[in-house]
Amino acid sequence: MGKVTIMDVAKSAGVSKSTVSQYLNGRYSFMSKATQKKIQAAIEELNYIPNEIARSLTFKKSNTVGVIVSNIASQFTIDLVRAIERKFAQENIQLLLCNTDNNPEREQQYLSSLSARQVDGVILFPNSENRSYYQALNESDFPLVFVDRTIPDLEVLSVTLDNECATRLATQHLIDNGHQAIALVTYPYSKSGVSNRKGRVIGYLETLKENGIDESQVNVFEIEEYQSESAFKQILMEPSITGLVLTSDVLLEAFLIYAKKEGTRIPEELSIVSIDDATFAIFHNPMITTIKQPASQIGELSAELLLDLMNGTDKEMLLKESPYQFQPEICLRESVYRLREQ
């Protein structure tokens, strides 16, 4: 098949060329959900939109950059974006912020919208479902930086935390305090294509194995966002579970609210360690032991790398150091109870 055109997409979706154009530019006011789905299905089948985005994004300079985040509610994200914005402000470059709530379709729509605004580069939390989009941008030499996550076998600069190390620290701290039955709560990782979630599960599983803890003690709760109560209820109803690793500050906040409602005593009834050192972890009574990731440093380096690409620095040279990875740090506080020796 030759070069795919907007008319090919329109024919495949059974709509007009102008309707496809409106969809690509994020104008959905007079478009039904069914029509949007048909257009998106045609785009994916024909692999059309990535090439259009790449052409549009590389057209001219605008002194604006796009930042597409996965969850704006996270303290980690807030601190990271603040560092990115501060760095670009020094260069008189404006930032356009988009929040996807980990929805790959919404990310596609934002990429279309950013293309219409002719941004000079994009920093984003990637999702493997949009790999073809990133591939097209990459092949067009459009400045692109991944943050917090990676996509395997895709030559894009990435700035991340050592996520396996993060849950290793959390899990080992619980084990060192006598805990064997340790649960881990994570947002979907097995089918989501979100690399940091997978890394955190791997770190937890490997630490249990290295400490000779039987597989029967493995408890991974994979929950949908904003649907955490059923998992928390199951954890609190299982008396054998004495330790809990929460893989984000958003999950920590949700769990603390639920535990308070249920009257669960921390750490006497359940010891907890959370990834992300949210401010409220210090003000909670007891103070929560956390695994800190340097959000500001991650954000600042992401911005610096994007600026390098925008200014013509050789990407191959920068790729030699990628992924750029930061190490986590454990912040010991009061939320882990030391079990008596058996």
Side-chain angles (χ1 to χ4, degrees):
M1 184 177 183
K3 180 187 254 184
V4 178
T5 68
I6 192 170
M7 185 58 71
D8 294 324
V9 175
K11 288 180 179 179
S12 179
V15 299
S16 68
K17 177 180 175 181
S18 63
T19 299
V20 176
S21 178
Q22 289 175 14
Y23 177 84
L24 294 176
N25 287 289
R27 295 193 290 268
Y28 315 115
S29 300
F30 304 101
M31 194 180 304
S32 70
K33 291 290 185 183
T35 297
Q36 292 178 45
K37 288 181 179 179
K38 286 194 297 183
I39 295 172
Q40 186 58 44
I43 285 169
E44 292 176 359
E45 180 181 354
L46 298 173
N47 195 29
Y48 168 76
I49 193 168
N51 294 328
E52 288 300 298
I53 288 177
R55 274 201 299 277
S56 179
L57 286 173
T58 56
F59 184 66
K60 62 181 181 180
K61 296 291 184 180
S62 63
N63 288 322
T64 59
V65 296
V67 177
I68 304 178
V69 303
S70 60
N71 188 343
I72 196 64
S74 168
Q75 185 66 50
F76 166 74
T77 302
I78 294 170
D79 292 343
L80 181 140
V81 170
R82 184 181 291 118
I84 293 174
E85 191 278 334
R86 186 165 53 243
K87 187 66 176 179
F88 282 120
Q90 295 171 1
E91 305 293 329
N92 294 316
I93 295 174
Q94 293 185 329
L95 184 150
L96 299 177
L97 178 63
C98 308
N99 175 53
T100 69
D101 284 329
N102 281 303
N103 184 324
E105 290 185 2
R106 187 179 299 175
E107 182 183 83
Q108 294 170 14
Q109 293 169 359
Y110 280 135
L111 283 171
S112 296
S113 180
L114 291 172
S115 76
R117 289 168 172 77
Q118 302 292 340
V119 297
D120 299 330
V122 169
I123 296 173
L124 60 80
F125 291 59
N127 190 301
S128 62
E129 293 183 40
N130 288 336
R131 182 187 181 89
S132 62
Y133 280 66
Y134 313 142
Q135 183 65 47
L137 291 172
N138 202 37
E139 290 175 354
S140 71
D141 292 325
F142 175 75
L144 179 66
V145 173
F146 291 160
V147 68
D148 191 50
R149 307 168 179 177
T150 61
I151 300 293
D153 303 319
L154 198 59
E155 292 190 337
V156 175
L157 298 178
S158 303
V159 185
T160 70
L161 181 74
D162 185 338
N163 288 290
E164 290 186 27
C165 181
T167 42
R168 281 180 177 275
L169 287 173
T171 308
Q172 190 64 54
H173 180 59
L174 288 164
I175 293 171
D176 290 345
N177 280 276
H179 298 272
Q180 297 283 304
I182 301 168
L184 177 136
V185 180
T186 177
Y187 288 129
Y189 73 94
S190 55
K191 297 181 181 179
S192 69
V194 179
S195 63
N196 61 347
R197 297 176 186 173
K198 292 181 178 179
R200 292 175 188 184
V201 173
I202 290 170
Y204 160 80
L205 294 174
E206 290 187 348
T207 304
L208 293 181
K209 184 177 180 180
E210 290 167 3
N211 283 272
I213 296 177
D214 191 85
E215 288 185 2
S216 63
Q217 302 279 38
V218 173
N219 293 282
V220 177
F221 292 85
E222 187 175 1
I223 64 175
E224 294 292 335
E225 294 191 43
Y226 311 113
Q227 297 178 357
S228 55
E229 283 204 4
S230 60
F232 296 155
K233 181 178 180 180
Q234 188 176 349
I235 291 169
L236 295 182
M237 289 179 64
E238 178 51 66
S240 66
I241 296 176
T242 63
L244 178 63
V245 176
L246 296 145
T247 56
S248 76
D249 57 352
V250 177
L251 282 170
L252 172 62
E253 181 180 15
F255 178 77
L256 292 177
I257 292 171
Y258 184 80
K260 183 176 182 180
K261 183 175 69 174
E262 297 298 313
T264 302
R265 293 179 301 135
I266 300 170
E268 292 84 359
E269 295 179 317
L270 186 67
S271 294
I272 63 174
V273 181
S274 175
I275 312 298
D276 294 333
D277 189 36
T279 304
F280 64 81
I282 302 173
F283 296 124
H284 187 271
N285 185 21
M287 293 188 292
I288 307 300
T289 292
T290 61
I291 307 299
K292 182 178 182 179
Q293 52 177 325
S296 295
Q297 291 174 261
I298 292 173
E300 184 173 345
L301 179 57
S302 301
E304 289 175 356
L305 290 172
L306 189 64
L307 282 168
D308 285 342
L309 294 175
M310 290 163 57
N311 292 327
T313 302
D314 180 28
K315 185 171 73 173
E316 295 302 318
M317 181 184 72
L318 296 173
L319 280 168
K320 292 179 181 179
E321 302 295 329
S322 187
Y324 295 80
Q325 196 171 76
F326 286 86
Q327 292 302 306
E329 174 188 355
I330 189 166
C331 301
L332 298 175
R333 298 191 181 109
E334 306 166 344
S335 60
V336 174
Y337 185 79
R338 185 167 184 83
L339 297 180
R340 294 179 180 177
E341 297 293 338
Q342 300 297 319

